[in-house]
Amino acid sequence: MVKMAKDNKEALIKLGKKLFAEIDKGKNPTIELPVRSLSNVSFDRKNKTLILGNKTAERSFFNVAHAKKFLQTLEVASIAKDLIHEEKHASLRDVFYMAKRTIPGTKVNLVDEQTESDDVIEDLELITELSREQLNVTANKMGSVVGRVTIEDRGDTIRWDKLGSGGYSIPSTVEEIKFKEVKADYVLYMEKAAVWERLNEDKFWEKNNCIIISSQGQTTRGIRRLLQRLYEEHKLPIYVLCDWDIYGAYIYSVIKYGSINLAHQAERMAIPNVKYVGITGDDVVKYDLKKHIIRLTDQDIKRIKQVSEYDWFKDDKVWQRQFKMMKEISGKVEIQALTSRGISFISEVYLPKKIKNKEFLA
Amino acid sequence: MAKESGKKEVIVAQELAKGQREISISEFFTKNRHLLGFDNPTRALLMTVKEAVDNSLDACNEAKIIPEILVDIKKINEDRFKVIVEDNGPGIVREQIPRIFAKLLYGSKFHRLRQSRGQQGIGISASVLYSQLTTGKHSVIISKIHPKKPAHYYELKIDTAKNEPLIVKDEIREWNKDHGTKIEIELEAKYQKGKQSVDEFIKQVAIVNPQAKINYITPENEKMDFPRVTNELPIEAKEIMPHPYGIELGTLIKMLAETSSRTLQGLLTTEFCRIGPGTAKEMCDKAGLKPDMKPKVINHEQAEKLFKAMQEVKVISPPTDCLSPIGEQLLEKGLKKEIPADFYITSSRSPVVYRGFPFLIEVGIAYGGELDKEGQVKLMRFANRVPLLYQQGACAITEAVTDTNWKAYGLNQSGTNMPTGPAIVVVHMASVWVPFTSEAKDALAHYDEIIKEIKLALQECGRKLNIYINKHVKAQEYQERINLFEKYIPEVAGSIAKLSNEKKTVIEEKLNKILKRERSSLENNGENGKGQ
């Protein structure tokens, strides 16, 4: 199921041996890695996922522009090797602190900001063909789930429907979770924790026999893998609920096709059949949400232009129509705007009706 | 009963009246010396030098004389000093000398609107009073107005009860000088080096007054000479009438009482700028007053209405050609002679208006050279060419500097702190009325218009600084980065050793060999500006 690249320790040793061989021959040690930017990401129309192109970049030590990044890459690689050796897991934040120090005899810090070490970890995934999880590096837990599901996690049996108001907190790696019983017709994912809390309080999942999952903003890898496993292993349809704005549209596309900077992981995580329930521009008219429109900023308008030109949206008439509506009314609407129709309008009317009538944006 | 209590009240009032008396100016001074900048002995020394030097420069400026100033501070003992300041200014006519030096709040500057160093008329007489209060000594003044006229020698004190000059000695003396003034003031003080010292003050004065030649002898008998780098005198600042938007109610009431105009309209049109008969009439109508009223009969309530009307009626901005900037070229010359740096950039903005007062902002930046690379950027603040050494944190100039994004201009800065890097930033505000936060004249008040102008000038200089840094400093940094390889090698060797299970020392040795071989080609890449 998951593409497990060989032995993780071996992969790191291989990197070390390669660089040693170059140094041994008096060559400038160089790491080659695929370019991780939009220019090297394309949309595979057949498989409906993003794929990483063939463009590669070189990172050499004896190059003034690369030296520090080279140093960071190897530092983080050796941290990962230690973690694997000791069978310990560290968070992205831990790795940052493990790497952070001043290089003796200089005023240079090996890393100054966590984004630097995070970035290098993503590079290492490409260099070693190991996933971050295989490098024993975890992210923060950022999501909650509730539904009639029983799982086994590190030897504990957990029922998702018996965890009160907080629900089950999704770990950063979900590969080790075993599903023992799954009773649901579909999975509803939403970008807002506050909406999840509303639906949980209203027992939406119980009344509609579904699983509800939320994140706070960006959909983490753990959540994306969890959605994919529920989709693939239990054949559950996945529905997405986002704000009607360009960021909501992008969140949806990341779940569906993969993300630009993790295009190399798209295959592992994309769910091409995911459906978008709302909010849509048509809802704004139908449910009279006009008075809750938030005006677009210049930043928003720029982003609409950018996203609407992505390969995977470019020829999508349904979404192009939504982008056009956003521009025409020059506004966006949050999920919570539905509250103006009553606090439980979303769980009692809006969602059941939309899902029953299959009013989705494909 | 009523009669009795009435009687009692009278008695209480009489009792109270015994305790009520006029507070003498010296008493006020002693209790409020911090307001005037004499709160500690270090500052007292600085204030005395400052007031004397300000007066000399202002006098030379008005008389169109290229200034030549001697500042000599003699240490008498640990906490007593004698300040001697001598200039080649126009001199002071005999009758005026006692009042200028030995009467507080006497001066020509308070009632006029003109860009000048002093503006309150407290100045030098406060130093004379301070001297008298701390040492009991009189101050000595000698002044000469013409080669053919005699020099007048005075020994003066202040009659502190009456705030009148007390002449100890009044003589005619030989003075081998064409014209000029010399003062000697002895006071309790403390001499220190550093950011808020007399040394720093004189250096900063020299930067913004490149036309002045200043010789300074410190209490430690070091001689510091600040040469003149231009014979060009600053353009003369013109006096302007107050603008209705920039006046206080109290000043208006005073003007109403003291005016020689016979009608209200006459007062408004002749004693303010930018008010014509039409505007004057509109103001009077709005205040419910007649334009032909006698100003002297206007009562307080009517004055308040008039004041309000004056703020409400639309009046065009005051003229701005009354200011005297240092100028971009001269500011650059001033910086160059006093600050050893690699790069200098200055900007002098056009005049604009705040609250009815015209002002203009000038900025200069010196970068590189011998300036401290690691520390905070040094800020020098000036108001009408006078250095402001205290209260940096409370000053609008500081706010404008820290609020500017210096990262975009090649300096380091965290958040909205003072930027760091090898730079000195000079900010000068010239105005007919500088809005200080207190009488000690240390910090500018936070007016949006002023902060905005300062930021624009800083940005203008910042952009040019950034171009320079990119061109010259980046090449140097490139060299430094090549030197970093040596330090990186042990780190990389350690990581590769861990990953490959090879020996760290072997890897280190081999990497050092490669570096030795590659060094020259790395350096060439830098010169070609590729950075690859």
CSV table of all heavy atoms in Angstrom, one decimal, chain A residues 241-278:
chain,number,residue,atom,x,y,z
A,241,LEU,N,-15.4,20.3,3.2
A,241,LEU,CA,-16.2,21.5,3.5
A,241,LEU,C,-15.2,22.7,3.8
A,241,LEU,O,-14.4,22.5,4.7
A,241,LEU,CB,-17.1,21.3,4.7
A,241,LEU,CG,-17.9,22.5,5.3
A,241,LEU,CD1,-18.9,23.0,4.2
A,241,LEU,CD2,-18.6,22.0,6.5
A,242,CYS,N,-15.2,23.7,3.0
A,242,CYS,CA,-14.2,24.8,3.2
A,242,CYS,C,-14.9,26.1,3.0
A,242,CYS,O,-16.1,26.2,2.6
A,242,CYS,CB,-13.2,24.8,2.1
A,242,CYS,SG,-12.0,23.4,2.3
A,243,ASP,N,-14.2,27.2,3.4
A,243,ASP,CA,-14.7,28.6,3.2
A,243,ASP,C,-14.7,28.7,1.7
A,243,ASP,O,-14.0,28.1,0.9
A,243,ASP,CB,-13.7,29.6,3.7
A,243,ASP,CG,-13.6,29.6,5.2
A,243,ASP,OD1,-14.6,29.2,5.8
A,243,ASP,OD2,-12.7,30.2,5.8
A,244,TRP,N,-15.7,29.6,1.2
A,244,TRP,CA,-15.7,29.9,-0.2
A,244,TRP,C,-14.7,31.0,-0.5
A,244,TRP,O,-15.0,32.2,-0.5
A,244,TRP,CB,-17.1,30.3,-0.6
A,244,TRP,CG,-17.2,30.5,-2.1
A,244,TRP,CD1,-17.0,29.6,-3.1
A,244,TRP,CD2,-17.6,31.7,-2.8
A,244,TRP,NE1,-17.2,30.1,-4.3
A,244,TRP,CE2,-17.6,31.4,-4.2
A,244,TRP,CE3,-17.9,33.0,-2.4
A,244,TRP,CZ2,-17.8,32.4,-5.2
A,244,TRP,CZ3,-18.2,34.0,-3.4
A,244,TRP,CH2,-18.2,33.6,-4.7
A,245,ASP,N,-13.5,30.6,-0.6
A,245,ASP,CA,-12.4,31.5,-1.0
A,245,ASP,C,-11.3,30.7,-1.7
A,245,ASP,O,-11.4,29.5,-1.8
A,245,ASP,CB,-11.9,32.4,0.2
A,245,ASP,CG,-11.2,31.5,1.3
A,245,ASP,OD1,-10.9,30.3,1.0
A,245,ASP,OD2,-11.1,32.0,2.4
A,246,ILE,N,-10.3,31.4,-2.2
A,246,ILE,CA,-9.3,30.8,-3.0
A,246,ILE,C,-8.5,29.8,-2.2
A,246,ILE,O,-8.0,28.8,-2.7
A,246,ILE,CB,-8.4,31.8,-3.7
A,246,ILE,CG1,-7.7,31.2,-4.9
A,246,ILE,CG2,-7.5,32.5,-2.8
A,246,ILE,CD1,-8.6,30.6,-6.0
A,247,TYR,N,-8.3,30.1,-0.9
A,247,TYR,CA,-7.6,29.2,0.0
A,247,TYR,C,-8.3,27.9,0.2
A,247,TYR,O,-7.7,26.8,0.3
A,247,TYR,CB,-7.2,29.9,1.3
A,247,TYR,CG,-6.6,31.3,1.0
A,247,TYR,CD1,-7.4,32.5,1.1
A,247,TYR,CD2,-5.3,31.4,0.5
A,247,TYR,CE1,-6.9,33.7,0.8
A,247,TYR,CE2,-4.8,32.7,0.2
A,247,TYR,CZ,-5.6,33.8,0.3
A,247,TYR,OH,-5.1,35.0,0.0
A,248,GLY,N,-9.6,28.0,0.4
A,248,GLY,CA,-10.5,26.8,0.5
A,248,GLY,C,-10.3,26.0,-0.7
A,248,GLY,O,-10.2,24.7,-0.6
A,249,ALA,N,-10.4,26.6,-1.9
A,249,ALA,CA,-10.3,25.9,-3.2
A,249,ALA,C,-8.9,25.1,-3.2
A,249,ALA,O,-8.9,24.0,-3.7
A,249,ALA,CB,-10.4,26.8,-4.3
A,250,TYR,N,-7.9,25.8,-2.7
A,250,TYR,CA,-6.5,25.2,-2.8
A,250,TYR,C,-6.5,24.0,-1.8
A,250,TYR,O,-5.9,23.0,-2.2
A,250,TYR,CB,-5.4,26.2,-2.5
A,250,TYR,CG,-4.1,25.6,-2.7
A,250,TYR,CD1,-3.6,25.3,-4.0
A,250,TYR,CD2,-3.2,25.3,-1.7
A,250,TYR,CE1,-2.4,24.7,-4.2
A,250,TYR,CE2,-2.0,24.7,-1.9
A,250,TYR,CZ,-1.6,24.4,-3.2
A,250,TYR,OH,-0.3,23.8,-3.4
A,251,ILE,N,-7.1,24.2,-0.6
A,251,ILE,CA,-7.1,23.1,0.3
A,251,ILE,C,-7.7,21.8,-0.3
A,251,ILE,O,-7.2,20.7,-0.2
A,251,ILE,CB,-7.8,23.5,1.6
A,251,ILE,CG1,-6.9,24.5,2.4
A,251,ILE,CG2,-8.2,22.3,2.5
A,251,ILE,CD1,-7.6,25.1,3.6
A,252,TYR,N,-8.8,22.1,-0.9
A,252,TYR,CA,-9.6,21.0,-1.6
A,252,TYR,C,-8.7,20.3,-2.7
A,252,TYR,O,-8.5,19.1,-2.7
A,252,TYR,CB,-10.8,21.6,-2.2
A,252,TYR,CG,-11.4,20.7,-3.3
A,252,TYR,CD1,-12.1,19.5,-3.1
A,252,TYR,CD2,-11.3,21.1,-4.7
A,252,TYR,CE1,-12.7,18.8,-4.1
A,252,TYR,CE2,-11.9,20.4,-5.7
A,252,TYR,CZ,-12.5,19.2,-5.4
A,252,TYR,OH,-13.1,18.5,-6.4
A,253,SER,N,-8.0,21.2,-3.5
A,253,SER,CA,-7.1,20.6,-4.5
A,253,SER,C,-5.9,19.8,-4.0
A,253,SER,O,-5.5,18.9,-4.6
A,253,SER,CB,-6.7,21.7,-5.5
A,253,SER,OG,-5.6,22.4,-5.0
A,254,VAL,N,-5.4,20.2,-2.8
A,254,VAL,CA,-4.3,19.5,-2.2
A,254,VAL,C,-4.7,18.1,-1.8
A,254,VAL,O,-4.0,17.1,-2.1
A,254,VAL,CB,-3.8,20.3,-1.0
A,254,VAL,CG1,-2.9,19.4,-0.2
A,254,VAL,CG2,-3.0,21.5,-1.4
A,255,ILE,N,-6.0,18.0,-1.3
A,255,ILE,CA,-6.5,16.7,-0.9
A,255,ILE,C,-6.7,15.8,-2.2
A,255,ILE,O,-6.4,14.6,-2.2
A,255,ILE,CB,-7.8,16.8,-0.1
A,255,ILE,CG1,-7.5,17.5,1.2
A,255,ILE,CG2,-8.4,15.4,0.2
A,255,ILE,CD1,-8.7,17.9,2.0
A,256,LYS,N,-7.2,16.5,-3.2
A,256,LYS,CA,-7.6,15.8,-4.4
A,256,LYS,C,-6.4,15.4,-5.2
A,256,LYS,O,-6.2,14.2,-5.6
A,256,LYS,CB,-8.5,16.7,-5.2
A,256,LYS,CG,-9.3,16.0,-6.3
A,256,LYS,CD,-10.2,17.0,-6.9
A,256,LYS,CE,-11.0,16.4,-8.1
A,256,LYS,NZ,-12.1,15.6,-7.8
A,257,TYR,N,-5.5,16.3,-5.4
A,257,TYR,CA,-4.4,16.1,-6.4
A,257,TYR,C,-3.0,16.0,-5.8
A,257,TYR,O,-2.0,15.5,-6.4
A,257,TYR,CB,-4.3,17.1,-7.5
A,257,TYR,CG,-5.6,17.4,-8.2
A,257,TYR,CD1,-6.3,18.6,-8.1
A,257,TYR,CD2,-6.3,16.4,-8.9
A,257,TYR,CE1,-7.5,18.9,-8.8
A,257,TYR,CE2,-7.5,16.6,-9.5
A,257,TYR,CZ,-8.1,17.9,-9.5
A,257,TYR,OH,-9.2,18.1,-10.1
A,258,GLY,N,-2.8,16.6,-4.6
A,258,GLY,CA,-1.5,16.7,-4.0
A,258,GLY,C,-1.0,18.2,-4.0
A,258,GLY,O,-1.7,19.0,-4.5
A,259,SER,N,0.0,18.4,-3.2
A,259,SER,CA,0.5,19.8,-3.1
A,259,SER,C,1.8,20.1,-3.9
A,259,SER,O,2.5,19.1,-4.2
A,259,SER,CB,0.6,20.2,-1.6
A,259,SER,OG,1.8,19.6,-1.1
A,260,ILE,N,2.0,21.3,-4.2
A,260,ILE,CA,3.2,21.6,-5.0
A,260,ILE,C,4.5,21.2,-4.4
A,260,ILE,O,5.3,20.6,-4.9
A,260,ILE,CB,3.2,23.1,-5.4
A,260,ILE,CG1,2.0,23.4,-6.3
A,260,ILE,CG2,4.4,23.5,-6.2
A,260,ILE,CD1,1.7,24.9,-6.5
A,261,ASN,N,4.7,21.6,-3.1
A,261,ASN,CA,6.0,21.4,-2.5
A,261,ASN,C,6.1,19.9,-2.0
A,261,ASN,O,7.2,19.5,-1.6
A,261,ASN,CB,6.4,22.4,-1.5
A,261,ASN,CG,5.5,22.5,-0.4
A,261,ASN,OD1,4.4,21.9,-0.4
A,261,ASN,ND2,5.9,23.2,0.7
A,262,LEU,N,5.0,19.2,-2.0
A,262,LEU,CA,5.1,17.8,-1.7
A,262,LEU,C,4.7,16.9,-2.9
A,262,LEU,O,4.1,15.8,-2.7
A,262,LEU,CB,4.3,17.4,-0.4
A,262,LEU,CG,4.8,18.0,0.9
A,262,LEU,CD1,3.9,17.6,2.0
A,262,LEU,CD2,6.2,17.6,1.2
A,263,ALA,N,4.9,17.4,-4.1
A,263,ALA,CA,4.5,16.7,-5.3
A,263,ALA,C,5.1,15.3,-5.3
A,263,ALA,O,4.5,14.3,-5.8
A,263,ALA,CB,4.9,17.4,-6.5
A,264,HIS,N,6.3,15.1,-4.7
A,264,HIS,CA,6.9,13.8,-4.7
A,264,HIS,C,6.1,12.8,-3.8
A,264,HIS,O,6.3,11.6,-3.9
A,264,HIS,CB,8.3,13.9,-4.2
A,264,HIS,CG,8.5,14.5,-2.8
A,264,HIS,ND1,8.3,15.9,-2.6
A,264,HIS,CD2,8.7,14.0,-1.6
A,264,HIS,CE1,8.5,16.1,-1.3
A,264,HIS,NE2,8.7,15.0,-0.7
A,265,GLN,N,5.2,13.3,-2.9
A,265,GLN,CA,4.4,12.5,-2.1
A,265,GLN,C,3.0,12.4,-2.6
A,265,GLN,O,2.2,11.7,-1.9
A,265,GLN,CB,4.4,13.1,-0.6
A,265,GLN,CG,5.8,13.1,0.1
A,265,GLN,CD,6.1,11.7,0.6
A,265,GLN,OE1,5.3,10.8,0.6
A,265,GLN,NE2,7.3,11.6,1.1
A,266,ALA,N,2.7,13.0,-3.7
A,266,ALA,CA,1.3,13.1,-4.1
A,266,ALA,C,0.7,11.7,-4.3
A,266,ALA,O,-0.4,11.4,-3.9
A,266,ALA,CB,1.2,13.9,-5.5
A,267,GLU,N,1.4,10.8,-4.9
A,267,GLU,CA,1.0,9.5,-5.2
A,267,GLU,C,0.5,8.8,-3.9
A,267,GLU,O,-0.5,8.1,-3.9
A,267,GLU,CB,2.2,8.7,-5.7
A,267,GLU,CG,1.9,7.5,-6.5
A,267,GLU,CD,3.2,6.8,-6.9
A,267,GLU,OE1,4.2,7.5,-7.0
A,267,GLU,OE2,3.2,5.6,-7.0
A,268,ARG,N,1.2,9.1,-2.8
A,268,ARG,CA,0.9,8.4,-1.5
A,268,ARG,C,-0.3,9.0,-0.9
A,268,ARG,O,-0.9,8.4,-0.1
A,268,ARG,CB,2.1,8.7,-0.6
A,268,ARG,CG,2.7,7.4,-0.1
A,268,ARG,CD,3.9,7.8,0.8
A,268,ARG,NE,3.5,7.7,2.2
A,268,ARG,CZ,3.8,8.6,3.1
A,268,ARG,NH1,4.3,9.8,2.8
A,268,ARG,NH2,3.5,8.4,4.4
A,269,MET,N,-0.6,10.2,-1.3
A,269,MET,CA,-1.7,10.9,-0.5
A,269,MET,C,-2.9,11.5,-1.3
A,269,MET,O,-3.9,11.9,-0.7
A,269,MET,CB,-1.0,12.1,0.3
A,269,MET,CG,-0.1,11.5,1.4
A,269,MET,SD,0.5,12.7,2.5
A,269,MET,CE,1.7,13.5,1.6
A,270,ALA,N,-2.8,11.6,-2.6
A,270,ALA,CA,-3.9,12.2,-3.3
A,270,ALA,C,-5.1,11.3,-3.4
A,270,ALA,O,-5.0,10.1,-3.3
A,270,ALA,CB,-3.4,12.5,-4.8
A,271,ILE,N,-6.3,11.9,-3.4
A,271,ILE,CA,-7.6,11.2,-3.4
A,271,ILE,C,-8.4,11.8,-4.6
A,271,ILE,O,-9.2,12.7,-4.4
A,271,ILE,CB,-8.4,11.3,-2.1
A,271,ILE,CG1,-7.4,11.1,-0.9
A,271,ILE,CG2,-9.6,10.4,-2.1
A,271,ILE,CD1,-8.0,11.5,0.4
A,272,PRO,N,-8.1,11.4,-5.8
A,272,PRO,CA,-8.8,12.0,-7.0
A,272,PRO,C,-10.3,12.0,-6.9
A,272,PRO,O,-10.9,12.9,-7.6
A,272,PRO,CB,-8.3,11.2,-8.1
A,272,PRO,CG,-7.0,10.5,-7.7
A,272,PRO,CD,-7.2,10.3,-6.2
A,273,ASN,N,-10.9,11.1,-6.1
A,273,ASN,CA,-12.4,11.1,-6.1
A,273,ASN,C,-13.1,12.0,-5.1
A,273,ASN,O,-14.3,11.9,-4.9
A,273,ASN,CB,-12.9,9.7,-6.0
A,273,ASN,CG,-13.0,9.0,-7.3
A,273,ASN,OD1,-13.4,9.6,-8.3
A,273,ASN,ND2,-12.6,7.7,-7.4
A,274,VAL,N,-12.3,12.8,-4.4
A,274,VAL,CA,-12.8,13.6,-3.3
A,274,VAL,C,-13.9,14.6,-3.9
A,274,VAL,O,-13.7,15.0,-5.0
A,274,VAL,CB,-11.7,14.3,-2.5
A,274,VAL,CG1,-11.0,15.4,-3.4
A,274,VAL,CG2,-12.2,14.9,-1.3
A,275,LYS,N,-14.9,14.8,-3.1
A,275,LYS,CA,-15.9,15.8,-3.6
A,275,LYS,C,-16.0,17.0,-2.7
A,275,LYS,O,-15.8,16.9,-1.5
A,275,LYS,CB,-17.3,15.1,-3.5
A,275,LYS,CG,-17.4,13.8,-4.3
A,275,LYS,CD,-17.8,14.1,-5.8
A,275,LYS,CE,-18.2,12.8,-6.5
A,275,LYS,NZ,-17.0,12.0,-6.9
A,276,TYR,N,-16.3,18.2,-3.3
A,276,TYR,CA,-16.4,19.4,-2.6
A,276,TYR,C,-17.9,19.7,-2.3
A,276,TYR,O,-18.7,19.9,-3.2
A,276,TYR,CB,-15.8,20.5,-3.4
A,276,TYR,CG,-15.7,21.9,-2.8
A,276,TYR,CD1,-14.6,22.2,-2.0
A,276,TYR,CD2,-16.7,22.8,-3.0
A,276,TYR,CE1,-14.6,23.5,-1.4
A,276,TYR,CE2,-16.7,24.1,-2.4
A,276,TYR,CZ,-15.6,24.4,-1.6
A,276,TYR,OH,-15.5,25.6,-1.0
A,277,VAL,N,-18.3,19.8,-1.0
A,277,VAL,CA,-19.7,20.0,-0.7
A,277,VAL,C,-20.0,21.5,-0.6
A,277,VAL,O,-21.1,22.0,-1.0
A,277,VAL,CB,-20.1,19.6,0.8
A,277,VAL,CG1,-21.3,18.7,0.7
A,277,VAL,CG2,-19.0,19.0,1.5
A,278,GLY,N,-19.1,22.3,-0.1
A,278,GLY,CA,-19.4,23.7,0.0
A,278,GLY,C,-18.3,24.4,0.8
A,278,GLY,O,-17.3,23.7,1.1
